[in-house]
Amino acid sequence: MNFELKTFDLAGVAEEKCDALIVLLNQTFKPGKDVLSKLVAQALKAGDLETKPGKVLMIYQPVGLACSRLVLAGIGAGSAEDVRKAVTAATAAAKAASVKKLTICFASAPQNETLGTAVMAVAEASYVYTTTKSKPEGRVIQQVLVGGPTAALFKPAFDQAVAAVAGIEFAKEWANRPANYATPTLLAGAAKSLTKFAPIKCDVLGPKEVEKLGMGSFMAVAQGSKEPLRFIVLHYDGAVKSQAPTVLVGKGVTFDSGGISIKPAADMDEMKFDMCGAASVLGVFRALAELKPAINVVGLIAASENLINGSAVKPGDVVTSMSGQTIEILNTDAEGRLVLCDALTYAERFKPRAVVDIATLTGACVVALGAVRSGLFSADDTLAAALLAAGESSSDLCWRMPLDDAYAEGLKTNFADVANVGGRAGGAITAAKFLERFTEKFPWAHLDIAGTAWKSGAAKGATGRPVALLLAYLLASVK
Ligand code: BES
Ligand code: MN
Ligand code: ZN
């Protein structure tokens, strides 16, 4: 999908030739003297149109306008959420009419971030997954012209949103692929493919190298599958070498059966999404490739399956992590923390300014926060504030959770330095407390995206979250 930014008012946009024109109307909209204004005023007066977000009115071949279809859409007070709702509803109407060329016009000047919201919402509403269909019917909307009065002022927000869309769609593609089309090896291939964009570099380590590093915890998860693990190291070197990088660490469990502590059959297919943290790291790099900001970023992905064969790790087994800490694996289904802890230790070598790990880590986080906000865990107030703010500005929300030491009580064991589970209560927090043990050397935050990374039911599919949040965070770090 191709995006373009243009400054126009309602008189100007009336001349734009396109298959559909979406006009976003604020509740305080004051009609001018142009054709489009008159039409809107009439429709409002007749009660055919409301400015409530989500309400749309479609008009075919409107007289005096160059577009084939006009979609009038209310955005209420014009918040980011209002704009998202409106663009989603209007795009659905346009999609039904097989629109290729779309124009979106803010009737009044948008807020800085809502222009980006419109870009991301139209991409979201028109996204189609096709990779494993025999007769793919791809996305219909191809060209999107976005604008409004003073649109040129919002060029940076527009560019960020277009880059975010490229990243989100790369993340969605890999997350949506079934596990047999997204093995650790294939995921490493996806990471390698990003090196076609300078200045991205990528190294991939296999079982031998990972063993040499002493990643006994990561290896324990992978040992129950015939698919070999991959440890993926991505570099985006946009700034001078002396600038400390931000490290993003993604959980890349390409399928989580639970291992010997096997999961119930219902919805187990959704555990192909257990690499959404990894997909978000790939997505961020794809977005950085578009924007080319002057920062340094390292991406680490621990990719493996969590399966069950004769060599699978057993409950009660004790393994030695790269940090030297021994871990008693009481539940083989708490594997995310086992792959992440070694990746976190590996991150030390980059002397990072901050490390953020992203993981579909716990069902408990889904219970706590649902699908609206990702769980944010950090003992560092500055880092936590920066991530919260990035979430708000990109409409990719998170919520800070506690990290009191008392939550780590359950992780004590008689047989190792730490156990990998600590009881059901506060499960998202005990998981974070486990990870925290491996982050002494740098400021660290953890995003539990178990509830936000994908949707279930009829709309089953990856969301591409939290690519927009991470991108906003990284860009703000250089401002
Ligand atoms: N990948 C799952 C977490 C998950 C479950 C994400 C459901 C989204 C939906 C993770 O590996 C897991 O199985 N966690 C266990 C931990 C438990 C054994 C302490 C969980 O949440 O049940
Ligand atoms: Mn699991
Ligand atoms: Zn998992």
Side-chain angles (χ1 to χ4, degrees):
M1 196 158 40
N2 193 30
F3 289 96
E4 213 185 304
L5 182 67
K6 194 167 174 183
T7 299
F8 37 50
D9 57 11
L10 290 189
V13 82
E15 319 270 307
E16 288 292 337
K17 276 210 179 106
C18 56
D19 299 318
L21 165 63
I22 297 174
V23 178
L24 301 174
L25 296 154
N26 201 293
Q27 66 200 12
T28 58
F29 172 73
K30 298 264 181 313
K33 294 209 162 27
D34 57 284
V35 190
L36 188 44
S37 278
K38 279 187 192 146
L39 210 160
V40 171
Q42 276 175 351
L44 282 170
K45 196 165 167 213
D48 285 46
L49 175 64
E50 285 176 67
T51 54
K52 223 169 112 188
K55 295 276 179 187
V56 299
L57 174 65
M58 175 134 134
I59 300 152
Y60 187 62
Q61 293 192 342
V63 177
L65 302 185
C67 60
S68 307
R69 298 162 193 87
L70 173 65
V71 185
L72 302 174
I75 55 168
S79 73
E81 181 55 20
D82 293 338
V83 170
R84 193 194 58 74
K85 261 196 199 140
V87 173
T88 305
T91 307
K95 223 169 57 172
S98 76
V99 164
K100 285 205 183 77
K101 201 172 163 210
L102 180 67
T103 303
I104 303 178
C105 176
F106 282 84
S108 336
Q111 321 261 314
N112 195 17
E113 72 274 20
T114 56
L115 193 111
T117 308
V119 167
M120 291 197 280
V122 70
E124 165 75 31
S126 61
Y127 172 85
V128 197
Y129 168 82
T130 56
T131 308
T132 43
K133 300 258 195 179
S134 69
K135 294 181 189 70
E137 280 182 38
R139 164 182 263 149
V140 180
I141 298 174
Q142 295 298 331
Q143 266 192 64
V144 185
L145 180 64
V146 193
T150 69
L153 292 176
F154 307 116
K155 180 86 167 61
F158 171 81
D159 288 343
Q160 182 177 332
V162 172
V165 166
I168 287 166
E169 299 201 343
F170 196 73
K172 279 185 181 179
E173 167 64 21
W174 281 94
N176 281 333
R177 286 188 183 206
N180 58 331
Y181 284 78
T183 60
T185 306
L186 289 167
L187 211 58
K192 284 250 180 218
S193 78
L194 290 171
T195 59
K196 71 168 178 263
F197 304 107
I200 295 178
K201 286 180 221 127
C202 176
D203 294 312
V204 177
L205 313 187
K208 275 196 196 119
E209 290 110 321
V210 161
E211 182 168 16
K212 245 198 207 133
L213 285 165
M215 294 184 167
S217 183
F218 179 24
M219 281 160 44
V221 174
Q223 78 191 35
S225 167
K226 75 173 181 36
E227 282 296 335
L229 64 75
R230 291 290 182 262
F231 189 75
I232 304 165
V233 186
L234 279 156
H235 291 270
Y236 172 87
D237 299 321
V240 287
K241 262 215 169 96
S242 57
Q243 190 181 111
T246 305
V247 180
L248 304 177
V249 180
K251 171 177 173 182
V253 175
T254 58
F255 189 78
D256 180 12
S257 72
I260 302 266
S261 315
I262 195 166
K263 288 183 180 294
D267 300 327
M268 209 208 269
D269 65 287
E270 295 191 6
M271 282 299 118
K272 73 174 185 178
F273 292 119
D274 213 14
M275 38 60 76
C276 280
S280 77
V281 174
L282 295 177
V284 168
F285 275 75
R286 178 68 190 81
L288 292 174
E290 291 293 306
L291 276 180
K292 305 249 196 295
I295 52 175
N296 292 331
V297 186
V298 173
L300 302 177
I301 292 171
S304 98
E305 293 189 325
N306 184 23
L307 283 186
I308 327 164
N309 62 22
S311 1
V313 72
K314 305 169 291 298
D317 282 2
V318 173
V319 298
T320 304
S321 66
M322 185 178 172
S323 73
Q325 297 178 71
T326 58
I327 303 165
E328 184 185 26
I329 301 178
L330 286 174
N331 190 319
T332 64
D333 197 12
E335 85 298 339
R337 59 200 83 180
L338 297 174
V339 308
L340 287 172
C341 69
D342 282 338
L344 288 167
T345 301
Y346 188 87
E348 288 175 4
R349 67 186 55 204
F350 302 107
K351 301 192 173 47
R353 57 177 280 280
V355 177
V356 182
D357 78 69
I358 310 101
T360 49
L361 202 62
T362 65
C365 194
V366 189
V367 174
L369 295 172
V372 182
R373 289 179 187 257
S374 305
L376 165 64
F377 303 77
S378 182
D380 186 312
D381 291 340
T382 313
L383 179 55
L387 286 162
L388 278 169
E392 300 294 329
S393 77
S394 61
S395 300
D396 189 351
L397 304 171
C398 61
W399 194 256
R400 193 170 177 188
M401 303 281 276
L403 274 177
D404 304 271
D405 284 337
Y407 284 109
E409 276 304 304
L411 295 173
K412 288 185 175 152
T413 161
N414 297 337
F415 304 106
D417 300 341
V418 65
N420 78 328
V421 290
R424 269 168 57 83
I429 313 169
T430 38
K433 288 307 282 182
F434 177 93
L435 293 177
E436 192 183 32
R437 299 174 61 96
F438 302 85
T439 64
E440 272 172 357
K441 302 252 165 74
F442 41 71
W444 162 78
H446 156 60
L447 287 167
D448 192 332
I449 58 166
T452 55
W454 77 89
K455 291 179 185 160
S456 307
K460 192 187 285 184
T463 61
R465 290 176 70 181
V467 170
L469 181 162
L470 293 167
L471 183 64
Y473 163 70
L474 291 171
L475 295 176
S477 74
V478 276
K479 272 179 197 151

